[in-house]
Amino acid sequence: MTVRWIPPGWTADPALRVSFAITLVLIALTSVLGLSMLGLKLRTQRALRRDHRFRPAIVETLTAITLGTKQADSLASIYRLAPVVVANVLVEILSMQKGAGQLRLAETAERLGIVDFWRKQAISRNPDERCRAVTCLGFLPAGSVSAELRESLDDPEELVSVVASRGLTREARVEEVNAVFESLPRHSTLVRALISPSLRRHSVMLATFALPHALTSTERGPALAALELIRDWQRALPADALVPLLQHPDDRIREFAFLALPFALGAQPSIQDFEAGIDSECAAVRRAALNVAARLRRTDLDERIAARVSDPDPDVAFAAAAALASRGNIAQLEQVVVSGKAGTAAAMEAIERFRVGRLTC
Amino acid sequence: MLEISHTTTFARVFYDVETLLIVYVGAINLLYIALTIVGFFALQRFSGRIFDTELDSLMNSALLPGITVIAPAFNEELSIRESTRSALGLRYPDHEVIVVNDGSKDKTLEILIDEFRLYRSSRAPSGSLPTKKVRGVYESRDPIRLLVIDKENGGKADSLNTGINYSRRPLFSAVDSDSLIESEALFRITKPFLDDERTVATGGIVRVVNGCTVEHGKVTRVRAPDTLLARCQAVEYLRAFLGGRVAFSLMDSLLLISGAFGVFRRDIVLEVGGFETGTVGEDMELVVRMHRHMFEAKRDHRVVFVPEPVCWTEVPESLRVLRRQRTRWQRGAFESLWKHRKMFMNPRYGAVGMIGFPYYAFFEVAGPIVELLGYLMTILGLIFGLIRHDTAILFFMVSLVFGLLLSLSSILLEEFTLRKYPSARDLMVLLGAALIESLGYRQLTAIWRFQGLVDEMRGNTSWGTMERRGFKK
């Protein structure tokens, strides 16, 4: 049979005919792809609707298992029919449980083979599967899956590291919490920002050893990570090991050390530490030192601060002016304005903000 | 028909040129297909999921760098309230908004002063980029981080430079005042800066807001545009962003971040001297200049495209305004490339010089010339009997079908990765526009882009004006 896709009488160039044929094939392939994706979408929706029917019974049974009024075996038959829904509901309830209820659900998951499934998925090549599996493992009692979660701390997929960290810090186990803390320098700023809240509730535990150890480390990474956390937590902690970092040769560490200083209990920086910061060659360090001096109400530094109102860096000048304004030293700033010296703009802005009540905004 | 013998010199030249055109068309179409395929896999791999579930825990983080959102405004009285509210309402731990009123002749400034209870401030700039005179700086009595700068008219680039001077954050984002930014956009678009310290600039996907419902500065209902012209542009945007830019970013050869929304490192932009005011393509020119500066200083860097919808913009719905826009874009592209032509095929500039630059030169800038030449050759060939009518028709159909294939792929790519259009009706509307796009719209844009090149040669430096309809309620 001959398929005539060129009208009779046409004798078009063979190359063109080939191009046209290729294009038609590509269109057909794309359409097939589109239709199959659509089919997949419809099938998934149908499966979801079907699973939805089983959900109430599963919730009831798992709740009873959690309370100890039913055994795990009662779930076996439903699990055969709707394993995905059972696993999902189990995770939902497990995430809210501690103590005996958590143990019963964990045992149920173990008996049904769900935990083994998660363990296998935790090393899957698909990052989404790894992420889901590690999240689920993180809800199980600590100790039973600690090894798998620790492995996942260095997963190339960022979100997997984050959920592994959350799993390890769900309970106050020193080794696990320290492992997460020690992994911080290996992660990006974003991951550290996401892990920080999980470590916050263990901040007192970390302050006894891990934090001071990091602050006195000779490596840049651990010190910076520790300083970032202290600042992010905004919680007063014993951290006098921070004081030597105020005169660290690395400007970034110095800057972060100043910014973390207000939260360091027991830290007693000397006036020389502040003066060195305020007179630093790095504008970011000067700015941080000025902000903190204002925050800590260091009146012994007023003269130094006032001198910085005429700093060549406008942001530093404003930080100095705002520091004076925050303590109500408006008269001093007005003198700068009247004198017309360098720093007039910063002084005027600080006075305006003080009067409008927007000094910290 | 005026028959010419196939053995004449004219005929031989004609066939040689025609062969070159066919090779060019084949190359560009294969390239677009390759870019779309690369775009598909890149979108599958992209780990944007981190933000969907984690935004709340990031909202109070002190570790994220601060951003200044700079929005130049010229005669924006219809939309300035909503776009400013939208910018202020962005979810991010530390961001400030600077609206630069670029000598508007309408009530843009008055509306801002009234709406946000502004007072005249003494805030001084911390940068020293040269700009037109600043007439006044205003801040709000309310605890919102809004700064309004009123200045003499100097154009978008000049306004952005003014905003950069007054910025107090390590990053800044340049947005158009008529653009609406997604509330989580700042998180998404700053992610590359957090992943890698080498990042100097990022851009995201710009979507067409025409036809969508906007309430209180947010897009609350996504719909395909109502007019055919806007629909064709919606398809075009999908093709450009999901196919082209994703792929070039992956190859470290991205030359362009959309002027509607991009984020830059303030210190690097100050080093290179800010946006160029003498060009109409200041967004592309800055990115190319940043690349050049970093390569020449032998500093490792990257410019990243974030394949997530971050910004909605109003596209022209009249031919007149669309023509002005397209001629301007073409002029800007040519200016940027010509100014930095030293980078062309120069290995000193890495993948930017060896891949990105040649692509833009051969296919984006020269593209309309080749396309129009192709149409002219076809017509001449038919007149002089050098081309058979069936050949001409088949060639046209191949081009049509290929163009349709590219548009179709982009729409499918959107549907299976980002899924911003919720209803099947919208997808069908876009598919319809994809069918019609090659029957007139594409040819018109080719003519306008060619006109842009001609204007550039003539030294025409005007921007033209954009007519705003305001956002649909």
Side-chain angles (χ1 to χ4, degrees), chain A residues 102-122:
Chain A
Q102 184 191 29
L103 287 170
R104 289 189 198 108
L105 284 173
E107 195 195 312
T108 304
E110 195 78 58
R111 272 222 197 149
L112 292 173
I114 296 176
V115 176
D116 278 340
F117 175 72
W118 289 340
R119 282 196 171 105
K120 284 193 191 110
Q121 292 268 295

mmCIF file of all heavy atoms in Angstrom, chain A residues 102-122:
data_model
loop_
_atom_site.group_PDB
_atom_site.id
_atom_site.type_symbol
_atom_site.label_atom_id
_atom_site.label_comp_id
_atom_site.label_asym_id
_atom_site.label_seq_id
_atom_site.Cartn_x
_atom_site.Cartn_y
_atom_site.Cartn_z
ATOM 1 N N GLN A 102 4.046 6.438 69.835
ATOM 2 C CA GLN A 102 5.069 6.422 68.775
ATOM 3 C C GLN A 102 5.649 5.012 68.640
ATOM 4 O O GLN A 102 5.835 4.512 67.526
ATOM 5 C CB GLN A 102 6.159 7.433 69.116
ATOM 6 C CG GLN A 102 7.234 7.586 68.034
ATOM 7 C CD GLN A 102 8.422 8.398 68.511
ATOM 8 O OE1 GLN A 102 8.744 8.420 69.712
ATOM 9 N NE2 GLN A 102 9.101 9.038 67.595
ATOM 10 N N LEU A 103 5.918 4.378 69.787
ATOM 11 C CA LEU A 103 6.522 3.046 69.750
ATOM 12 C C LEU A 103 5.579 2.052 69.080
ATOM 13 O O LEU A 103 6.003 1.195 68.299
ATOM 14 C CB LEU A 103 6.860 2.583 71.172
ATOM 15 C CG LEU A 103 8.062 3.283 71.816
ATOM 16 C CD1 LEU A 103 8.164 2.942 73.288
ATOM 17 C CD2 LEU A 103 9.347 2.913 71.101
ATOM 18 N N ARG A 104 4.278 2.140 69.428
ATOM 19 C CA ARG A 104 3.314 1.200 68.838
ATOM 20 C C ARG A 104 3.229 1.388 67.323
ATOM 21 O O ARG A 104 3.184 0.415 66.562
ATOM 22 C CB ARG A 104 1.930 1.401 69.453
ATOM 23 C CG ARG A 104 1.839 0.925 70.883
ATOM 24 C CD ARG A 104 0.397 0.940 71.394
ATOM 25 N NE ARG A 104 0.410 0.887 72.852
ATOM 26 C CZ ARG A 104 0.107 1.902 73.656
ATOM 27 N NH1 ARG A 104 -0.272 3.054 73.158
ATOM 28 N NH2 ARG A 104 0.174 1.762 74.965
ATOM 29 N N LEU A 105 3.194 2.640 66.901
ATOM 30 C CA LEU A 105 3.098 2.892 65.447
ATOM 31 C C LEU A 105 4.376 2.434 64.741
ATOM 32 O O LEU A 105 4.326 1.895 63.630
ATOM 33 C CB LEU A 105 2.869 4.373 65.179
ATOM 34 C CG LEU A 105 1.452 4.878 65.450
ATOM 35 C CD1 LEU A 105 1.391 6.392 65.307
ATOM 36 C CD2 LEU A 105 0.453 4.227 64.503
ATOM 37 N N ALA A 106 5.504 2.650 65.403
ATOM 38 C CA ALA A 106 6.777 2.237 64.794
ATOM 39 C C ALA A 106 6.798 0.722 64.635
ATOM 40 O O ALA A 106 7.242 0.181 63.602
ATOM 41 C CB ALA A 106 7.942 2.700 65.658
ATOM 42 N N GLU A 107 6.298 0.036 65.668
ATOM 43 C CA GLU A 107 6.257 -1.427 65.592
ATOM 44 C C GLU A 107 5.328 -1.874 64.470
ATOM 45 O O GLU A 107 5.613 -2.833 63.739
ATOM 46 C CB GLU A 107 5.753 -1.961 66.937
ATOM 47 C CG GLU A 107 5.996 -3.438 67.153
ATOM 48 C CD GLU A 107 5.149 -3.939 68.320
ATOM 49 O OE1 GLU A 107 5.151 -3.278 69.379
ATOM 50 O OE2 GLU A 107 4.477 -4.976 68.145
ATOM 51 N N THR A 108 4.209 -1.192 64.335
ATOM 52 C CA THR A 108 3.260 -1.509 63.257
ATOM 53 C C THR A 108 3.923 -1.325 61.899
ATOM 54 O O THR A 108 3.806 -2.177 61.008
ATOM 55 C CB THR A 108 2.015 -0.599 63.338
ATOM 56 O OG1 THR A 108 1.436 -0.722 64.631
ATOM 57 C CG2 THR A 108 1.011 -0.927 62.268
ATOM 58 N N ALA A 109 4.621 -0.210 61.749
ATOM 59 C CA ALA A 109 5.291 0.065 60.471
ATOM 60 C C ALA A 109 6.334 -1.007 60.181
ATOM 61 O O ALA A 109 6.513 -1.436 59.037
ATOM 62 C CB ALA A 109 5.948 1.449 60.520
ATOM 63 N N GLU A 110 7.033 -1.431 61.223
ATOM 64 C CA GLU A 110 8.063 -2.474 61.074
ATOM 65 C C GLU A 110 7.415 -3.779 60.634
ATOM 66 O O GLU A 110 7.885 -4.449 59.717
ATOM 67 C CB GLU A 110 8.772 -2.632 62.424
ATOM 68 C CG GLU A 110 10.080 -3.399 62.383
ATOM 69 C CD GLU A 110 11.242 -2.571 61.867
ATOM 70 O OE1 GLU A 110 11.549 -1.508 62.439
ATOM 71 O OE2 GLU A 110 11.839 -2.992 60.857
ATOM 72 N N ARG A 111 6.316 -4.139 61.278
ATOM 73 C CA ARG A 111 5.633 -5.424 60.983
ATOM 74 C C ARG A 111 5.094 -5.465 59.569
ATOM 75 O O ARG A 111 5.139 -6.497 58.907
ATOM 76 C CB ARG A 111 4.456 -5.589 61.930
ATOM 77 C CG ARG A 111 4.804 -6.232 63.196
ATOM 78 C CD ARG A 111 3.743 -7.211 63.574
ATOM 79 N NE ARG A 111 3.888 -7.535 64.958
ATOM 80 C CZ ARG A 111 2.895 -7.852 65.761
ATOM 81 N NH1 ARG A 111 1.660 -7.856 65.308
ATOM 82 N NH2 ARG A 111 3.117 -8.160 67.001
ATOM 83 N N LEU A 112 4.580 -4.319 59.112
ATOM 84 C CA LEU A 112 3.989 -4.298 57.771
ATOM 85 C C LEU A 112 5.062 -4.182 56.683
ATOM 86 O O LEU A 112 4.753 -4.238 55.510
ATOM 87 C CB LEU A 112 3.018 -3.111 57.643
ATOM 88 C CG LEU A 112 1.748 -3.202 58.498
ATOM 89 C CD1 LEU A 112 0.954 -1.897 58.411
ATOM 90 C CD2 LEU A 112 0.864 -4.356 58.051
ATOM 91 N N GLY A 113 6.311 -3.984 57.098
ATOM 92 C CA GLY A 113 7.384 -3.863 56.100
ATOM 93 C C GLY A 113 7.565 -2.455 55.578
ATOM 94 O O GLY A 113 8.351 -2.221 54.653
ATOM 95 N N ILE A 114 6.853 -1.525 56.189
ATOM 96 C CA ILE A 114 6.922 -0.137 55.693
ATOM 97 C C ILE A 114 8.296 0.461 55.986
ATOM 98 O O ILE A 114 8.864 1.174 55.168
ATOM 99 C CB ILE A 114 5.810 0.724 56.340
ATOM 100 C CG1 ILE A 114 4.436 0.198 55.916
ATOM 101 C CG2 ILE A 114 5.956 2.179 55.965
ATOM 102 C CD1 ILE A 114 3.272 0.909 56.579
ATOM 103 N N VAL A 115 8.847 0.139 57.173
ATOM 104 C CA VAL A 115 10.162 0.710 57.535
ATOM 105 C C VAL A 115 11.244 0.217 56.583
ATOM 106 O O VAL A 115 12.115 0.985 56.161
ATOM 107 C CB VAL A 115 10.527 0.371 59.000
ATOM 108 C CG1 VAL A 115 11.915 0.889 59.325
ATOM 109 C CG2 VAL A 115 9.513 0.968 59.955
ATOM 110 N N ASP A 116 11.180 -1.056 56.238
ATOM 111 C CA ASP A 116 12.155 -1.580 55.269
ATOM 112 C C ASP A 116 12.033 -0.863 53.936
ATOM 113 O O ASP A 116 13.039 -0.558 53.285
ATOM 114 C CB ASP A 116 11.919 -3.084 55.044
ATOM 115 C CG ASP A 116 12.568 -3.897 56.146
ATOM 116 O OD1 ASP A 116 13.480 -3.360 56.816
ATOM 117 O OD2 ASP A 116 12.159 -5.054 56.352
ATOM 118 N N PHE A 117 10.795 -0.615 53.551
ATOM 119 C CA PHE A 117 10.545 0.099 52.291
ATOM 120 C C PHE A 117 11.188 1.481 52.351
ATOM 121 O O PHE A 117 11.853 1.919 51.417
ATOM 122 C CB PHE A 117 9.035 0.198 52.055
ATOM 123 C CG PHE A 117 8.666 1.024 50.854
ATOM 124 C CD1 PHE A 117 8.881 0.558 49.568
ATOM 125 C CD2 PHE A 117 8.103 2.289 51.009
ATOM 126 C CE1 PHE A 117 8.549 1.322 48.459
ATOM 127 C CE2 PHE A 117 7.772 3.052 49.905
ATOM 128 C CZ PHE A 117 7.994 2.573 48.634
ATOM 129 N N TRP A 118 10.995 2.175 53.472
ATOM 130 C CA TRP A 118 11.582 3.506 53.611
ATOM 131 C C TRP A 118 13.110 3.435 53.590
ATOM 132 O O TRP A 118 13.762 4.298 53.003
ATOM 133 C CB TRP A 118 11.139 4.157 54.940
ATOM 134 C CG TRP A 118 9.710 4.563 54.962
ATOM 135 C CD1 TRP A 118 8.897 4.781 53.894
ATOM 136 C CD2 TRP A 118 8.915 4.781 56.119
ATOM 137 N NE1 TRP A 118 7.637 5.141 54.316
ATOM 138 C CE2 TRP A 118 7.619 5.152 55.683
ATOM 139 C CE3 TRP A 118 9.151 4.721 57.502
ATOM 140 C CZ2 TRP A 118 6.582 5.437 56.561
ATOM 141 C CZ3 TRP A 118 8.126 5.014 58.372
ATOM 142 C CH2 TRP A 118 6.850 5.362 57.895
ATOM 143 N N ARG A 119 13.659 2.436 54.217
ATOM 144 C CA ARG A 119 15.128 2.299 54.246
ATOM 145 C C ARG A 119 15.665 2.141 52.819
ATOM 146 O O ARG A 119 16.689 2.728 52.465
ATOM 147 C CB ARG A 119 15.554 1.099 55.077
ATOM 148 C CG ARG A 119 15.495 1.324 56.564
ATOM 149 C CD ARG A 119 16.291 0.258 57.312
ATOM 150 N NE ARG A 119 16.402 0.626 58.719
ATOM 151 C CZ ARG A 119 15.723 0.068 59.718
ATOM 152 N NH1 ARG A 119 14.879 -0.913 59.457
ATOM 153 N NH2 ARG A 119 15.872 0.470 60.961
ATOM 154 N N LYS A 120 14.941 1.355 52.023
ATOM 155 C CA LYS A 120 15.394 1.151 50.631
ATOM 156 C C LYS A 120 15.249 2.449 49.844
ATOM 157 O O LYS A 120 16.112 2.827 49.056
ATOM 158 C CB LYS A 120 14.556 0.073 49.949
ATOM 159 C CG LYS A 120 14.903 -1.323 50.358
ATOM 160 C CD LYS A 120 14.266 -2.360 49.430
ATOM 161 C CE LYS A 120 14.404 -3.737 50.024
ATOM 162 N NZ LYS A 120 13.178 -4.345 50.505
ATOM 163 N N GLN A 121 14.120 3.137 50.071
ATOM 164 C CA GLN A 121 13.875 4.383 49.351
ATOM 165 C C GLN A 121 14.884 5.474 49.739
ATOM 166 O O GLN A 121 15.174 6.359 48.952
ATOM 167 C CB GLN A 121 12.473 4.914 49.673
ATOM 168 C CG GLN A 121 11.360 4.049 49.124
ATOM 169 C CD GLN A 121 10.928 4.520 47.759
ATOM 170 O OE1 GLN A 121 10.404 5.604 47.611
ATOM 171 N NE2 GLN A 121 11.173 3.721 46.759
ATOM 172 N N ALA A 122 15.414 5.384 50.961
ATOM 173 C CA ALA A 122 16.346 6.419 51.441
ATOM 174 C C ALA A 122 17.645 6.422 50.651
ATOM 175 O O ALA A 122 18.406 7.383 50.694
ATOM 176 C CB ALA A 122 16.643 6.204 52.929
#
